Amino acid sequence: MANEEECRAALGRVAARLAEVDADRLAEHVVERTISCRVPDLGLVYRTRLHAGGLDPFELDGNPKDAEVRLTVNSDDLVALAAEELNPTKAWAEGRLKIEASIFDLLRLRKLL
């Protein structure tokens, strides 16, 4: 099981990868949304805000239900996703990654991944 520091680093890699997306492409597909990432095996919830400029830093937050996009993933899978060792579609299909969002948000995010 990965620890809190490894999960925070993994989320940082995800944010860095998003920062590499072309600014015009990002602006075309991004609508401002709050995003939570719940890591149930560690009892942690991280929160950020997605906007045309990318992602704000992830912060610990205790209430994922207020976020417009909610992800749930165990620590080891989060680290593997960030390292591109686990495909997000495969993780979702196997139930290792859960995503709660509107269909429109899912389609927008898919275009960025």
Side-chain angles (χ1 to χ4, degrees), residues 1 8 16 72 86 95 103:
M1 175 169 45
R8 187 176 287 278
T72 302
L86 177 61
I103 188 69

Side-chain angles (χ1 to χ4, degrees), residues 6-106:
E6 292 168 317
C7 288
R8 187 176 287 278
L11 291 170
R13 284 192 297 278
V14 170
R17 211 168 32 241
L18 189 61
E20 294 173 359
V21 174
D22 176 70
D24 291 335
R25 183 173 175 226
L26 191 64
E28 180 183 342
H29 297 292
V30 168
V31 175
E32 187 171 320
R33 294 287 185 258
T34 55
I35 300 174
S36 70
C37 180
R38 188 170 71 88
V39 186
D41 59 330
L42 296 179
L44 300 172
V45 178
Y46 294 94
R47 184 183 192 96
T48 188
R49 187 177 62 92
L50 175 67
H51 49 82
L55 282 175
D56 288 346
F58 283 89
E59 300 292 333
L60 283 173
D61 180 27
N63 188 5
K65 295 187 184 209
D66 290 341
E68 295 157 307
V69 177
R70 294 173 300 281
L71 310 173
T72 302
V73 61
N74 282 326
S75 59
D76 286 339
D77 290 334
L78 174 58
V79 171
L81 285 165
E84 297 184 55
E85 297 168 356
L86 177 61
N87 179 292
T89 304
K90 181 179 178 183
W92 174 79
E94 294 175 348
R96 296 166 65 182
L97 170 64
K98 294 181 177 113
I99 305 171
E100 297 174 70
S102 75
I103 188 69
F104 298 111
D105 287 339
L106 291 173

